[in-house]
Amino acid sequence: MDMDKWQEKPTLSVPEAAKILGISRSLGFRMVERGELPALRLGMKRLVVPTAAIVRILERAAGV
């Protein structure tokens, strides 16, 4: 994934979202399970994180 282009995608995989947030893949999945990282389930297995949710998390962390 081109790290400069991630905001152009409507959703990200959990590993992609974790990389942007600077956390491990496994922590990303644990945060989804706990409801701390919003995700949508597509089909039986696919989880995606709305890009807008990542932007909001980063803005809150930055105090914007």
Side-chain angles (χ1 to χ4, degrees):
M1 171 183 57
D2 184 352
M3 291 300 288
D4 295 330
K5 303 278 185 185
W6 68 269
Q7 291 182 348
E8 296 175 9
K9 295 174 64 175
T11 61
L12 302 165
S13 68
V14 175
E16 287 172 332
K19 185 173 183 178
I20 290 163
L21 293 172
I23 60 175
S24 70
R25 177 183 179 277
S26 60
L27 178 57
F29 280 105
R30 285 197 309 269
M31 289 178 70
V32 168
E33 289 175 12
R34 294 189 302 236
E36 297 170 350
L37 182 59
L40 307 169
R41 183 169 299 279
L42 304 177
M44 295 293 290
K45 295 185 179 185
R46 180 96 168 124
L47 283 171
V48 294
V49 178
T51 303
I54 299 298
V55 171
R56 283 192 304 272
I57 289 168
L58 293 172
E59 286 175 346
R60 274 195 306 248
V64 175

